[in-house]
Amino acid sequence: MGRAAVLAVVTVAGLTAGCGAQPGEDAVTRAAGQWLAAAQGRDAAALCRLLTPAAAESAATGDETCQQALGDLDLPGDGPVGAVQVWSDQAQVRAGGDTLFLTRLSDGWRVNAAGCRQQGDEPYDCDVEG
């Protein structure tokens, strides 16, 4: 997810913050929990499987595979899944020291940005994004 898309998701989040629980929230929570467990266990292969194809491709830069690139990152895996917001086929999850952005694909929810930190009024700065 590019920085502009992350900003758009955050803007939508602000507009829909008053809405009740959204359909798919449980599935998003499970997907985020899998990501956090893999990050805590430093399981780069599992992390790559949990990414959207675009994020996995983006992580694999230069001579590094997705697994090598994610293995080199110190992605937060601490803390339980916290606030979950779902907007149609996009979601944001806050967990411990991380903010994740997920996209619903035909085979379920996948992470398209992780290791994201707010930058004030600027778009999120993410370690992994696609």
Side-chain angles (χ1 to χ4, degrees):
M1 175 181 287
R3 293 189 191 287
V6 170
L7 181 60
V9 169
V10 172
T11 301
V12 170
L15 296 174
T16 62
C19 297
Q22 297 292 317
E25 203 170 289
D26 290 341
V28 169
T29 299
R30 280 192 301 278
Q34 291 172 340
W35 174 270
L36 294 169
Q40 185 174 26
R42 301 195 53 79
D43 185 346
L47 290 170
C48 288
R49 285 191 304 272
L50 295 167
L51 289 172
T52 62
E57 183 179 322
S58 177
T61 58
D63 295 335
E64 286 190 316
T65 65
C66 178
Q67 290 181 27
Q68 291 167 328
L70 293 187
D72 292 340
L73 293 176
D74 187 21
L75 293 168
D78 59 328
V81 172
V84 175
Q85 295 180 316
V86 179
W87 314 277
S88 183
D89 63 347
Q90 300 293 312
Q92 178 189 47
V93 175
R94 295 182 192 277
D98 200 357
T99 299
L100 305 171
F101 292 92
L102 295 92
T103 299
R104 183 175 43 218
L105 303 178
S106 60
D107 62 345
W109 288 92
R110 300 273 197 90
V111 173
N112 60 349
C116 300
R117 293 160 300 285
Q118 284 187 310
Q119 303 294 305
D121 291 337
E122 298 295 315
Y124 276 77
D125 179 34
C126 301
D127 293 328
V128 178
E129 60 184 308

